[in-house]
Amino acid sequence: MTARQAYENWLKAENLPDYLQRQLKELGQNPAWVDDAFGTDINFGTAGMRGLLEPGTNRINVVTVGRVTEGLAQLIEKEGQEAKEKGVVISFDSRYHSEDFAKLSAQILGYHGIKVYLFDGLRPTPELSFAIRHLGTFAGIMVTASHNAKQYNGYKIYGADGGQMPPEHAAVVEKAALEVKNQLAIPVSPIEELRAKNILQLVGEDVDEAYLDALDTINVNHDLIKDTADKLKIVYTPVHGTGKVIYDRAFRQGGFKNFTVVPSQAIIDPEFPTTIKPNPEYRQVFDEGVKVADKVGADIIVATDPDADRLGAAVRTPNGDFQVLTGNQIATLISNYLLTNLKNSGKLDSSYEIITSVVSSSLPFKIAKSFGIQTKYVLTGFKYIGEEIDRLHKTGDGQFLMGFEESYGFLFKTFNRDKDAMQGALMFFEVAAYYASRNMSVFDGLQEIWNKYGASCEITKAIEMPGLDGQKRMAKVMENLRKEQLKEINGHKVVKIEDFELAKEVTEAGERELVGFPKSNVLKYFLDDETWVALRPSGTEPVIKAYVGTNAETYAKAEEKCKAYHDAIAKFTK
Ligand SMILES: O=P(O)(O)OC[C@H]1O[C@H](O)[C@H](O)[C@@H](O)[C@@H]1O
């Protein structure tokens, strides 16, 4: 079927909501839009299905959400009665139509007689991950586009272990979704009927309490917190999203009572009106927080993205302004603290493992090594960290210490299996308390680590390439790089190339198979000055990401080098 034919079918569909019909007619005036929105089927990427909130098979709307849920329902039916009784727990964030999609999913599953636990209001992604094992469900659904701009929405599916579905399972759901007949008229049951039959059950406070109990196990040195937590003045922003539901009780019970919430960003709002993108990766997200921090005299600001899985932080520098930390720097501070604390309390054990992605900083790895701890590398996507946690649990091969990604994802305890900004915030506060107990700021702490291990600088650049054309451009960039087999970057010799798509590792000694990773379109270069460079198309946004990580004696030198490398690779992504 051509894009135009698919578009015409949608126009004829009788049960599309009015707003979608209106948008269809308006946007359909533009043939390029029709090609883009109907030229392909939206698929599962790094973190589920994510796309623009518009009509179209390549977009997020009642049809694409409906068919994936129907695909999931059919799979659960095939699993049998036990799976149907275990059912599915569903949560949603503060975005436009998130609640509608959550209810639609509940109605589709309910039609099949599958038990559904639906949150009574918006809840964080990590709480959904927690709820799966807490309620013993077969799967979980989170309606969110996480940190993307307000025009987006998305849909994540979780397995019974609480982790995001790994690609092989997601592919089965996707296939089932695409095979759904009559995607424009998927049967649903009315909510009231499902509730009356007790197929649909609302959950909320009961799960919150259990999740809060679990969060209460995050902090490791309670004496330290008792002695110094009062010295910490914290500013927190939920960036108009789900963090608002849980932060107050989570922080207080952890012993961190001296916090102020950013009022303008504590309003739940799908417009995310105080931000350009509600992503704590961007400094702009902290602008409101800085104003509040200056007013109350706080030294740290933490921000969670709309579904509260990402944690960002800004810390006061000696000259009085705020520096927004990178995800890598937050992980560096926390890993150093956790390992130091384990050592000081005589609990350090070589079976601990840190799990991170191949595009994250190598400094936590260096620190861990100095404590005799292993680091395991996985591909981008917290689901792979979840998978490794599951492996550790099943094999007993090691103990999980922490998981992190440069993209502001952190996890310390495995009661949930996706990154958790509340876990991250509680741990970050404890790190701040640790430095406060030594009369240091978090900023000082970072300098101390750099003085000991060498400074490292990592910069990720996201080069926008929207639309179907953008996807082709990204593919071309990667293809050209593969052809080039770069021997040198920024005047430095490439000593190794890891190609995760072709599963090979190339060095002067020749080619070897790259084992232990699923295939993925990522290229990573290792240079003779300990720099690494990686390129990959994002799986959540229409961008190609270029990552550089450098080391030097001082941060200024590492940063200078990092920028020079970015300049050198810019020509490949033009
Ligand atoms: O680089 P991307 O494919 O856009 O993914 C960036 C990040 O997106 C989401 O937040 C995922 O949950 C993360 O695991 C991932 O690291």
Side-chain angles (χ1 to χ4, degrees), residues 2 10 54 60 71 84 117 122 167 242 260 355 387 398 401 486 510:
T2 65
W10 279 50
E54 283 178 355
I60 296 287
K84 284 174 75 172
Y117 301 89
L122 72 179
T242 59
T260 311
I355 313 172
E387 250 187 347
L401 180 66
L486 304 180

Side-chain angles (χ1 to χ4, degrees), residues 46-65:
T46 310
M49 191 166 80
R50 211 174 276 190
L52 286 166
L53 257 174
E54 283 178 355
T57 52
N58 190 22
R59 297 290 191 265
I60 296 287
N61 48 57
V62 284
V63 179
T64 52
V65 165

Side-chain angles (χ1 to χ4, degrees), residues 46-47 147 310 380-382 405 407 419 536 538-540 545 547:
T46 310
H147 55 280
R310 288 184 167 210
T380 298
F382 224 89
E405 286 188 291
S407 54
K419 56 187 178 299
R536 56 180 281 277
S538 156
T540 63
K545 287 187 172 175
Y547 309 80

Side-chain angles (χ1 to χ4, degrees), residues 271-300:
E271 278 293 312
F272 311 119
T274 61
T275 68
I276 298 165
K277 270 188 190 176
N279 183 351
E281 238 171 286
Y282 297 120
R283 211 209 126 82
Q284 187 271 334
V285 164
F286 289 88
D287 286 355
E288 294 287 299
V290 169
K291 285 184 217 156
V292 178
D294 284 342
K295 203 151 104 200
V296 300
D299 291 326
I300 58 177

